Amino acid sequence: MDNRSKLMVGNWKMNGGLTANAALLAEILQGLPDVACRAAVCVPSVYLPQVGELLSGSALAWGAQDVSAHESGAYTGEVSVSMLRDMGVRYCIVGHSERRLYHAESDVVVATKAQRALAAGITPIVCVGESLAEREAGQTEAVVKRQLAAVIQANGHCISEIVLAYEPVWAIGTGLTATPEQAQLVHAVLRAQLQAASEHAERVPLLYGGSMNAANAAQLLAQPDVDGGLIGGASLKAADFLSMLKTASR
Ligand code: PGA
């Protein structure tokens, strides 16, 4: 909100490579002196050592895109919070719609992941959002409230330590963006729900995500309850990402 600097987070998804990562980050780092907002990139977990080394000591934080709901043990392919902590991550996205949809993550699993991250001192970026069918059926508010309620229930007063991202599923990677008014409406609903759960809810950054780009960022970020962005495609282009970071710095 007003006296809190914006938070802009790049979500690389399953993109990148050693050479491409180094080039992208070098270009972003060059532009960072002109950036006053908070910023981070969430990268594929195998690249966390590389990215951590390149960003160490810089103003750009790094994070993961998912974490296991389990602590340790026989969960082939999973990455635990303690492993993420070893890699120095500050943030971890949980409940991204691509995880909910393609990996059948339930509200309860997402809430458990948020809990694991918080317990390890990693800030979960909890994603909520409705599908196109849900929006058309007038269920937007009910869906995001249900998704957030599970996280509140599992995390109690610690809810004020999360970052919350509203990502309408129909706007992700589609080029369709929620209008600033549509985003603000849902953000206000989420803010009220957080406030009912914690007296410190004001400090929770509410990010908008879904085809945010250099052209539409300013209008979205001008909304009273939009505290930043979660940016997919446009975070893979240094010039675009930097331009959005500068917009968020105003
Ligand atoms: P997009 O992705 O910006 O490419 O729409 C956003 C996200 O899924 O976090």
Side-chain angles (χ1 to χ4, degrees), residues 98-110:
E98 287 149 19
R99 301 291 317 171
R100 292 182 190 259
L101 193 61
Y102 307 141
H103 302 272
E105 289 190 9
S106 66
D107 293 343
V108 171
V109 165
V110 172

Side-chain angles (χ1 to χ4, degrees), residues 119-135:
I122 294 167
T123 301
I125 301 176
V126 178
C127 300
V128 300
E130 82 288 2
S131 66
L132 184 58
E134 288 163 340
R135 171 163 284 265

Side-chain angles (χ1 to χ4, degrees), residues 11 13 96-98 167 171-174 209-212 230-234:
N11 173 11
K13 308 196 180 187
H96 190 280
S97 61
E98 287 149 19
E167 296 210 313
I172 295 177
T174 57
S211 299
M212 198 189 236
L230 183 54
I231 304 135

Side-chain angles (χ1 to χ4, degrees), residues 21 25 27 39 68 84 92 95 121 131 144 200 210-211 223 245 247:
N21 301 345
L25 290 177
E27 208 178 325
S68 177
L84 294 184
C92 179
S131 66
V144 297
H200 302 299
S211 299
Q223 300 302 310
L245 296 185
T247 300

